[in-house]
Amino acid sequence: MALERWFRRKRPTRGDDDASPAGLWLKCSGCHAQIYRKDLVANLYVCPECSHHERMPVDARVEMLADEGSFERWSGSVEPVDALGFVDTEPYRERLTSVQQRAHRPDAIVTGGATLHGIPVALAVMDFSFLGGSMGSVVGEEIARAAERAADEGRALVSVSASGGARMQEGALSLMQMAKTTVALEALSERRLPFISVLSDPTTGGVTASFATLGDLVIAEPGALICFAGPRVIQQTIKQDLPEGFQRSEFLLRKGMLDDVIPRPELKARIAAFTRLLLAGIGTQGVLPAPLPAPAMAPDEATDDPDGAMGSDSDEEAAVRAPAV
Amino acid sequence: MALERWFRRKRPTRGDDDASPAGLWLKCSGCHAQIYRKDLVANLYVCPECSHHERMPVDARVEMLADEGSFERWSGSVEPVDALGFVDTEPYRERLTSVQQRAHRPDAIVTGGATLHGIPVALAVMDFSFLGGSMGSVVGEEIARAAERAADEGRALVSVSASGGARMQEGALSLMQMAKTTVALEALSERRLPFISVLSDPTTGGVTASFATLGDLVIAEPGALICFAGPRVIQQTIKQDLPEGFQRSEFLLRKGMLDDVIPRPELKARIAAFTRLLLAGIGTQGVLPAPLPAPAMAPDEATDDPDGAMGSDSDEEAAVRAPAV
Amino acid sequence: MPLPFEKSIDELEARIRDMRSFAEEQEVDLSGEITALEQRLATLTRDTFANLSRWQRVQVARAAGRPTALDYLARAVDDFTELHGDRTMGDDPALVGGLARVGDTGVVVLAQQKGRDTKENIHRNFGMAHPSGYRKAMRLFDVADKFNLPVVTLIDTPGAYPGIAAEEQGQAWVIAASIQRMSRLRVPAVSIVIGEGGSGGALAIGVANRVFILEHAIYSVISPESCAAIRWRDAAEAPSAAEALKLTAYDLLEQGVVDEVIEEPIGGAHKDPAAAIETVRVTIERAFAELRSHTPDDLIRERRERFRRMGRFLDAA
Amino acid sequence: MPLPFEKSIDELEARIRDMRSFAEEQEVDLSGEITALEQRLATLTRDTFANLSRWQRVQVARAAGRPTALDYLARAVDDFTELHGDRTMGDDPALVGGLARVGDTGVVVLAQQKGRDTKENIHRNFGMAHPSGYRKAMRLFDVADKFNLPVVTLIDTPGAYPGIAAEEQGQAWVIAASIQRMSRLRVPAVSIVIGEGGSGGALAIGVANRVFILEHAIYSVISPESCAAIRWRDAAEAPSAAEALKLTAYDLLEQGVVDEVIEEPIGGAHKDPAAAIETVRVTIERAFAELRSHTPDDLIRERRERFRRMGRFLDAA
Ligand SMILES: [Zn+2]
Ligand SMILES: [Zn+2]
């Protein structure tokens, strides 16, 4: 199947969206203030009233991190299959098709090369609005390929996770993606190239329990839910209320699990600073390739839909409540 | 100074001691039962009534662990000096001389080669009755040399610790023994020779915080006090009672700090079993030297005085209350 | 105690027993009748177990009386001696570790232990490890590497424990770290799923050079019950979920997740634990005999390649 | 705020200040008098600090206003950015770690931080680390090795914390492990005792290729107070204990425990923090300039030999 399938449609621009009455105002899920949509988008989906970090669409994320015009998409050639013939209330195959059409990408991840304040990196950004960002064979493969290509090209790897965990419709093979992504990172380690893992809201289950917490630095956005087992599962197990702030970034920072919690507006600069220092060890200066020339291909500009990012569907919510591992 | 200094005197045998009325009966420090001294000694200084493990004299320890006639003493050629001219209520130099005369050894440790159920090992046994088993330059040096010689001769290292910590009368140089003993163990690691560390009552301060907890296996005798800071220090710091069993072997086993707690009568067989398994890795079989022939020299039979072992002096008690680190 | 679908087998067994004691007491010769019944029993058992639904296999995998990890450690390897502690915060009874011997080679073993009765189940937290358990595993992987000791892991867990302390102590972090640590082992590693291979908590000690599974064991990304609750919004749909998840031994062999299925005695390992344990012993010995000549670099490369290949997708490039 | 023996210095400084403002207000020329007083001040300060007793140096080492680790991290290295957490149980504010730059080289820094006021002192636990702090250090040593980043540690602690949780979490174990981990670093490591080098808790981050000490800093196996309490049975004998322990910078140089004493501004680092910090910067840069050409194997060997030599004894053999 040709790559073009995923990118041929001219998608509505932000301007188009803003013109629709439904999209004009949004309610902050932190302080419940009504926020003018354009303001929220301009503010990197951080509420101007309370600094609540809303979920951010993949392409806004790429745009925020990659130097202008530097992003070259790598992902997209790999497509999911329904290896188990999985059917619940609806066949997995049909579910996939409908979300692919909505998302204009084959699966829940976008990867590509970019520069970040001039530093050559591989970016891997997960799409929570695509079946809850669940990791099946394709997400695992794209992450593995991004890590390996980064190693080949002497780039650092920067991932931004957002996931309900493993994609249970792909059975044990989705579980195995935890090991697959982990072993793929070895290529980077062997070349002493940094892997900076950013955890965004929510990062759960099999993604948290594999590559996402194996960063040389693991940093989180404020207020993100980050866990192995979701709060609902734990509540059902222990039959008692969970502590305030449990499983949120700030809580995990106190528990020693994160290098830092970094507000979104500072993220790019801080990642660049970290990466520069990690690449400045003895004997490594000058070894890495110079920043790459700007790519010929335009950045992937798939759906930039804050409703999708802020809203929910059953897959996503179920995933967060009870992430598959 | 010649080695013979420490060994020329014909010391009283057990028989002599037993004849003295004072030495005939002992009070168990666990259950306070009156125990016939011979029974206690025959029972490896474990109370026959309550299984309380009394402190054990160095030579009984060596006799218990080494195959009969296999022990060849290595330690003794190195003697302490008063490098700082340390004087408190009494000069360190005088204190040393008097304890050396009582103990018939230059410092608080005996090391040597032996076989243990046929396995060639280096033994390092600390003497708590010698200035609270404190570790100064000589104890550090003997441990370092034992580790290095074990590595040279293809032996495992088995240490039995009993110490109030670093010997403060030797100042910062005693602190440095923590690093010295640690780096000396690298010789063993590089040859993949096991180090089995046995912690006996009490093991505290700078000994616990260096070689003694760096065993490939760290095992303790029942009921031993094992700590960094002594109970008295902690009580003074936090001004509250300590939990029941705090800093004892069984507590530390629950806290994940020990591989096992092993009663004294089982110690030799268990150490042998562990060492055999650790030496039976792929490619290592047959590489190690066969058990050595019995040494020409008789085992060191220095003071075998259970009163000393069970009793206390101010140095020892002070050390346990507030181990120097 | 018999599983629902074992009822006819159980009844037939009872009849044979009765007939035997009757024949003995009354001193009559019923050997012909008994032999006929025994043949029927064998056929019935074989047929029943050959045609188990996936949900029924889940029940066999979890059956009371099925040998647990410690049963295998007592008899499928020699000289097992337990080592305790994670050197950090505790000693997790749900994940047992230690040294043992296979032939003339020392090995490091790690195994998830479910209880054999209610009391032990509580002590073992039903085989659900906390981070401490995985930290102990990683500590023992270090011992294995240092002393060139091959690694055997036995997998039998509903999953890593989902609880407050477990989350606070970094359950996700230790699972990821354990996967990574195991992938870096410089010694041969063999994993056997002996009962329930429950998601990440199982995989954390399953990154081996050879992964075996017992015939009636399962290995799944999520329990059928949880899967049903999420995807059907009805936990009672667990049998449907088990069907959909394709989580039985032969499903996993087909998916390439396991390398080999270890046959169980007819009627399942719980019918003849000694025979099941012996088969596992032979499997471990065979695997190490084959792997012991591989160099450390080869072992790492092979293990990485094994897991790097996992997955099914369409590649348009 | 001045230390007891700083009283005359302090008074003289006050007189000079007064004379200056008087001269300004009254527009009279007192420059001759002021210069004379300043010369007297310089002499007095030099004499006082050249003749400090050991106990007085202990007081200088602990003086309020003395630059703390974070003051050095802000200005003796560039681009310091803190990294948090031990990935196990917490983030210890008493032992700060992170990345920084020295010249064009990235480095890993670890430093014990005392408070600069009561509130910070409580937050920092007076610079006394828990096991979590040393676990964070070991984690960052791994980062240093992976990325070839040299290590700088700044030592300033009364000691590792003696408390219930600290003991439960293996204070002795982590100190030993940190000593071992640091001895295995494949990168250059430089340690500087900037204030109080308190026993094992200090040594845990002090196993470096070059160990420096500030002129008025101390490094000791035990605090003079504890030593006095044990050996004199009277904590008030701390001055005698300080004398006996030989714990000052030049004592330690003589003993071979440190490689070099870094001179402080006259009157101590607290009199001119900026100058003290600049000297430390230069020292770090000089040490790395020298060490950066050493191979990883040489660095490990040199570090091991450095500590293997420690001690004084008579060798009869
Ligand atoms: Zn808001
Ligand atoms: Zn008793």
Side-chain angles (χ1 to χ4, degrees):
Chain A
M1 195 172 295
L3 258 183
E4 289 67 42
R5 174 179 153 200
W6 306 108
F7 306 103
R8 70 192 154 203
R9 193 170 73 91
K10 172 81 186 94
R11 274 158 281 116
T13 64
R14 266 181 217 164
D16 293 341
D17 271 5
D18 287 350
S20 72
L24 215 49
W25 294 91
L26 294 166
K27 199 162 114 181
C28 167
S29 38
C31 66
H32 305 296
Q34 293 289 328
I35 311 292
Y36 189 47
R37 184 184 180 139
K38 253 188 172 147
D39 291 345
L40 186 73
V41 171
N43 204 35
L44 302 171
Y45 297 82
V46 177
C47 171
E49 300 293 324
C50 72
S51 294
H52 178 81
H53 284 53
E54 299 290 345
R55 291 175 191 161
M56 194 177 194
V58 168
D59 299 283
R61 185 67 84 175
V62 169
E63 196 180 317
M64 173 184 109
L65 291 173
D67 293 339
E68 205 179 333
S70 76
F71 185 74
E72 175 199 5
R73 190 169 31 74
W74 294 347
S75 60
S77 69
V78 181
E79 297 176 23
V81 295
D82 176 24
L84 307 187
F86 193 100
V87 179
D88 47 63
T89 53
E90 186 189 346
Y92 174 49
R93 191 182 300 270
E94 286 172 23
R95 213 180 278 268
L96 261 181
T97 306
S98 87
V99 68
Q100 285 170 335
Q101 281 170 355
R102 179 152 53 90
H104 309 293
R105 59 173 63 95
D107 212 315
I109 192 162
V110 169
T111 70
T115 60
L116 200 152
H117 285 311
I119 302 166
V121 301
L123 275 180
V125 180
M126 298 188 77
D127 181 358
F128 188 69
S129 72
F130 190 112
L131 296 181
S134 55
M135 176 164 71
S137 289
V138 168
V139 169
E141 187 67 20
E142 293 286 15
I143 289 165
R145 290 186 181 186
E148 288 158 352
R149 184 160 171 184
D152 281 348
E153 298 183 359
R155 298 168 183 267
L157 173 64
V158 177
S159 72
V160 183
S161 298
S163 173
R167 185 169 298 167
M168 64 186 88
Q169 298 96 325
E170 298 187 12
L173 283 173
S174 69
L175 177 65
M176 293 299 133
Q177 304 309 307
M178 294 169 63
K180 181 167 96 180
T181 54
T182 298
V183 299
L185 293 174
E186 299 294 84
L188 280 168
S189 282
E190 283 164 0
R191 287 214 49 196
R192 296 175 192 257
L193 289 163
F195 167 32
I196 314 285
S197 175
V198 180
L199 312 181
S200 77
D201 184 61
T203 298
T204 74
V207 167
T208 321
S210 66
F211 75 93
T213 47
L214 293 172
D216 295 301
L217 300 182
V218 180
I219 55 193
E221 290 195 329
L225 175 72
I226 299 162
C227 60
F228 175 67
R232 181 81 59 101
V233 171
I234 295 175
Q235 247 166 347
Q236 281 166 354
T237 306
I238 62 166
K239 320 265 183 227
Q240 63 185 57
D241 286 343
L242 300 176
E244 178 71 22
F246 182 62
Q247 300 182 320
R248 296 285 164 182
S249 308
E250 296 72 16
F251 174 90
L252 291 164
L253 182 66
R254 282 198 306 279
K255 292 294 172 187
M257 298 300 153
L258 301 172
D259 285 286
D260 212 349
V261 175
I262 300 179
R264 196 172 286 160
E266 301 169 28
L267 210 47
K268 179 175 179 174
R270 293 290 301 279
I271 293 173
F274 284 136
T275 309
R276 252 185 235 291
L277 288 172
L278 291 175
L279 287 172
I282 293 178
T284 55
Q285 291 101 326
V287 170
L288 295 168
L292 304 167
M297 207 175 197
D300 176 0
E301 283 179 348
T303 181
D304 197 341
D305 170 12
D307 291 328
M310 296 173 69
S312 67
D313 73 25
S314 63
D315 258 304
E316 292 156 13
E317 286 313 300
V320 174
R321 285 203 321 271
V325 186
Chain B
M1 194 172 295
L3 257 182
E4 290 67 41
R5 174 180 152 202
W6 306 108
F7 307 102
R8 70 194 155 202
R9 194 171 73 90
K10 171 79 187 95
R11 274 158 281 117
T13 64
R14 265 181 219 163
D16 294 341
D17 272 5
D18 288 350
S20 71
L24 215 50
W25 294 91
L26 294 167
K27 200 163 111 182
C28 168
S29 39
C31 66
H32 306 297
Q34 293 291 326
I35 311 291
Y36 189 47
R37 182 183 179 141
K38 253 189 172 147
D39 291 345
L40 187 74
V41 172
N43 205 34
L44 302 172
Y45 297 81
V46 176
C47 170
E49 302 293 322
C50 73
S51 293
H52 178 80
H53 284 54
E54 299 290 346
R55 290 174 190 161
M56 195 177 193
V58 169
D59 299 284
R61 186 67 83 175
V62 169
E63 196 180 317
M64 173 185 109
L65 291 173
D67 294 339
E68 205 180 333
S70 76
F71 185 74
E72 175 198 8
R73 190 170 29 74
W74 294 346
S75 59
S77 68
V78 181
E79 295 175 26
V81 295
D82 176 23
L84 306 188
F86 192 100
V87 178
D88 47 62
T89 53
E90 185 190 344
Y92 174 48
R93 192 183 299 269
E94 288 172 24
R95 213 180 279 269
L96 261 182
T97 307
S98 86
V99 69
Q100 284 171 335
Q101 282 170 351
R102 179 153 53 89
H104 309 294
R105 59 173 63 96
D107 212 317
I109 191 163
V110 169
T111 70
T115 60
L116 200 152
H117 284 312
I119 303 167
V121 301
L123 276 181
V125 181
M126 298 188 77
D127 182 357
F128 187 71
S129 71
F130 191 111
L131 297 181
S134 55
M135 177 165 71
S137 289
V138 168
V139 169
E141 186 67 19
E142 293 285 15
I143 289 166
R145 289 184 182 189
E148 288 159 353
R149 184 160 171 186
D152 280 349
E153 299 183 358
R155 296 169 184 268
L157 173 64
V158 176
S159 72
V160 182
S161 298
S163 173
R167 184 169 299 167
M168 65 186 87
Q169 298 95 326
E170 297 186 13
L173 283 174
S174 70
L175 177 65
M176 293 299 133
Q177 304 309 307
M178 294 169 63
K180 182 166 96 179
T181 54
T182 299
V183 300
L185 292 174
E186 299 294 84
L188 280 169
S189 282
E190 284 165 359
R191 288 215 47 197
R192 296 175 191 256
L193 289 164
F195 168 31
I196 313 287
S197 174
V198 180
L199 311 180
S200 77
D201 184 61
T203 299
T204 73
V207 167
T208 322
S210 65
F211 74 93
T213 46
L214 293 172
D216 295 301
L217 300 182
V218 180
I219 56 193
E221 290 195 329
L225 175 74
I226 300 163
C227 60
F228 175 67
R232 182 80 59 103
V233 172
I234 295 174
Q235 247 166 347
Q236 280 166 355
T237 307
I238 62 167
K239 321 264 185 228
Q240 62 185 56
D241 287 342
L242 300 176
E244 177 71 22
F246 182 61
Q247 298 182 321
R248 296 285 164 181
S249 308
E250 297 72 16
F251 174 91
L252 291 163
L253 181 67
R254 281 198 306 279
K255 293 295 172 188
M257 298 299 152
L258 301 172
D259 285 287
D260 212 348
V261 175
I262 300 179
R264 197 172 286 161
E266 300 169 27
L267 211 46
K268 178 174 179 174
R270 294 289 303 280
I271 292 173
F274 284 137
T275 309
R276 253 184 234 291
L277 288 172
L278 290 175
L279 287 172
I282 292 177
T284 54
Q285 290 100 329
V287 170
L288 295 168
L292 303 168
M297 206 173 197
D300 175 1
E301 282 179 351
T303 181
D304 196 342
D305 170 15
D307 291 329
M310 295 172 69
S312 67
D313 75 24
S314 63
D315 259 305
E316 292 156 13
E317 286 314 299
V320 173
R321 284 204 322 271
V325 185
Chain C
M1 290 284 282
L3 298 167
F5 53 86
E6 287 181 314
K7 226 173 149 193
S8 338
I9 295 169
D10 206 55
E11 283 165 4
L12 198 50
E13 284 174 341
R15 265 179 64 196
I16 294 170
R17 269 196 309 278
D18 289 349
M19 198 173 284
R20 274 226 178 80
S21 44
F22 178 86
E24 223 164 90
E25 279 161 29
Q26 307 295 323
E27 296 185 18
V28 293
D29 181 12
L30 295 175
S31 57
E33 287 83 347
I34 290 174
T35 304
L37 279 182
E38 280 178 341
Q39 280 167 359
R40 232 175 88 194
L41 175 65
T43 310
L44 177 66
T45 308
R46 195 174 296 113
D47 289 355
T48 305
F49 277 80
N51 292 292
L52 292 179
S53 74
R54 292 190 168 88
W55 176 241
Q56 286 170 329
R57 286 200 195 240
V58 171
Q59 293 170 287
V60 177
R62 296 170 176 172
R66 193 172 168 85
T68 66
L70 284 176
D71 299 317
Y72 289 100
L73 293 181
R75 290 186 285 155
V77 295
D78 299 313
D79 300 345
F80 169 64
T81 177
E82 188 170 356
L83 299 177
H84 296 274
D86 65 356
R87 295 286 190 279
T88 306
M89 57 174 67
D91 180 48
D92 190 341
L95 211 167
V96 171
L99 301 175
R101 189 166 53 76
V102 171
D104 61 355
T105 304
V107 299
V108 162
V109 294
L110 289 155
Q112 285 146 343
Q113 175 64 17
K114 292 182 174 180
R116 283 159 290 196
D117 52 38
T118 306
K119 197 182 150 200
E120 193 189 2
N121 252 327
I122 289 165
H123 174 58
R124 304 286 180 186
N125 199 29
F126 298 84
M128 293 182 284
H130 278 76
S132 175
Y134 298 108
R135 291 207 169 92
K136 174 164 63 180
M138 290 188 272
R139 169 173 98 74
L140 293 177
F141 291 147
D142 289 345
V143 171
D145 263 344
K146 178 167 180 183
F147 293 103
N148 268 332
L149 306 172
V151 168
V152 182
T153 74
L154 302 179
I155 294 170
D156 190 13
T157 180
Y161 188 64
I164 291 182
E167 292 285 320
E168 285 181 352
Q169 297 162 359
Q171 191 70 285
W173 276 255
V174 296
I175 291 174
S178 186
I179 290 171
Q180 184 178 65
R181 180 66 192 85
M182 208 172 165
S183 78
R184 292 175 175 178
L185 278 173
R186 300 182 57 75
V187 291
V190 167
S191 294
I192 305 175
V193 185
I194 58 171
E196 209 175 351
S199 74
L203 178 62
I205 61 164
V207 186
N209 293 88
R210 296 287 181 276
V211 181
F212 299 92
I213 187 167
L214 286 185
E215 187 180 357
H216 300 301
I218 59 166
Y219 200 173
S220 181
V221 66
I222 188 168
S223 74
E225 291 88 341
S226 297
C227 180
I230 294 169
R231 304 234 62 86
W232 279 262
R233 303 186 179 276
D234 181 0
E237 290 284 353
S240 310
E243 220 37 59
L245 284 166
K246 306 274 187 296
L247 44 57
T248 70
Y250 291 104
D251 290 332
L252 294 159
L253 185 67
E254 192 276 324
Q255 294 163 33
V257 168
V258 303
D259 301 301
E260 203 177 307
V261 175
I262 302 174
E263 279 190 25
E264 298 190 21
I266 290 175
H270 58 298
K271 281 286 178 195
D272 189 351
I277 291 168
E278 185 55 29
T279 320
V280 166
R281 167 189 278 276
V282 169
T283 304
I284 293 171
E285 286 173 359
R286 178 165 50 83
F288 284 148
E290 187 219 324
L291 290 168
R292 66 177 294 129
S293 59
H294 297 216
T295 67
D297 287 348
D298 281 348
L299 289 164
I300 291 173
R301 188 179 41 73
E302 290 159 10
R303 209 181 298 115
R304 276 164 63 170
E305 283 171 2
R306 183 188 188 286
F307 287 90
R308 178 63 185 85
R309 277 194 305 270
M310 294 281 169
R312 296 216 182 143
F313 47 80
L314 268 180
D315 196 336
Chain D
M1 290 286 281
L3 299 166
F5 53 86
E6 287 182 314
K7 228 175 150 191
S8 339
I9 297 169
D10 207 54
E11 282 165 6
L12 198 50
E13 282 174 341
R15 266 179 65 196
I16 296 171
R17 267 197 310 278
D18 288 349
M19 198 172 285
R20 274 229 177 77
S21 43
F22 179 84
E24 222 164 273
E25 279 161 28
Q26 308 294 323
E27 294 183 22
V28 294
D29 181 11
L30 296 175
S31 56
E33 288 82 346
I34 291 174
T35 304
L37 279 183
E38 281 178 339
Q39 280 166 357
R40 233 174 89 194
L41 175 66
T43 310
L44 176 65
T45 308
R46 198 175 293 112
D47 289 353
T48 305
F49 276 80
N51 293 292
L52 291 180
S53 73
R54 290 191 170 87
W55 177 241
Q56 286 170 330
R57 287 202 193 239
V58 171
Q59 292 169 288
V60 176
R62 296 168 175 171
R66 193 172 168 84
T68 65
L70 285 176
D71 298 317
Y72 289 99
L73 293 181
R75 290 185 285 158
V77 295
D78 298 312
D79 300 345
F80 169 64
T81 176
E82 188 171 356
L83 299 177
H84 296 274
D86 66 356
R87 295 286 191 279
T88 305
M89 56 175 67
D91 180 46
D92 190 342
L95 212 168
V96 171
L99 301 175
R101 189 166 53 77
V102 171
D104 61 355
T105 303
V107 299
V108 162
V109 294
L110 288 155
Q112 285 147 343
Q113 174 65 16
K114 291 181 174 181
R116 283 158 291 195
D117 52 38
T118 306
K119 197 181 150 200
E120 193 188 2
N121 252 327
I122 289 166
H123 175 57
R124 304 285 180 187
N125 199 29
F126 298 84
M128 293 182 285
H130 277 76
S132 175
Y134 298 106
R135 291 208 168 90
K136 174 165 61 181
M138 290 189 272
R139 171 174 98 75
L140 293 177
F141 291 146
D142 289 345
V143 172
D145 264 344
K146 178 168 180 183
F147 293 104
N148 268 332
L149 306 172
V151 169
V152 182
T153 74
L154 303 179
I155 294 170
D156 191 14
T157 180
Y161 187 64
I164 291 183
E167 290 286 321
E168 286 181 352
Q169 296 161 1
Q171 191 70 286
W173 276 255
V174 296
I175 290 173
S178 187
I179 290 171
Q180 184 178 67
R181 180 65 191 86
M182 207 173 167
S183 78
R184 293 175 175 177
L185 277 174
R186 299 181 59 75
V187 291
V190 168
S191 293
I192 305 175
V193 185
I194 57 171
E196 208 176 351
S199 75
L203 178 62
I205 60 165
V207 186
N209 292 87
R210 296 288 180 275
V211 180
F212 299 93
I213 189 167
L214 286 185
E215 187 181 357
H216 299 301
I218 59 167
Y219 199 174
S220 181
V221 65
I222 189 168
S223 74
E225 290 88 343
S226 297
C227 180
I230 294 169
R231 303 235 62 87
W232 280 262
R233 303 187 179 277
D234 181 1
E237 290 285 355
S240 311
E243 226 28 66
L245 284 166
K246 306 272 188 296
L247 44 54
T248 70
Y250 291 104
D251 290 331
L252 295 159
L253 185 66
E254 193 276 324
Q255 294 164 33
V257 169
V258 303
D259 301 302
E260 204 177 307
V261 175
I262 302 174
E263 279 189 24
E264 298 191 21
I266 291 176
H270 58 298
K271 281 285 178 196
D272 189 351
I277 292 168
E278 185 55 26
T279 321
V280 166
R281 167 189 277 276
V282 169
T283 304
I284 294 171
E285 286 172 358
R286 178 164 51 83
F288 283 148
E290 187 218 324
L291 290 168
R292 67 176 294 128
S293 59
H294 297 216
T295 67
D297 286 348
D298 282 347
L299 289 164
I300 291 174
R301 188 179 40 73
E302 290 159 12
R303 208 181 299 116
R304 276 163 63 170
E305 284 171 3
R306 183 188 188 287
F307 287 91
R308 179 62 186 83
R309 278 193 305 269
M310 294 281 169
R312 295 215 183 145
F313 47 80
L314 267 181
D315 197 337

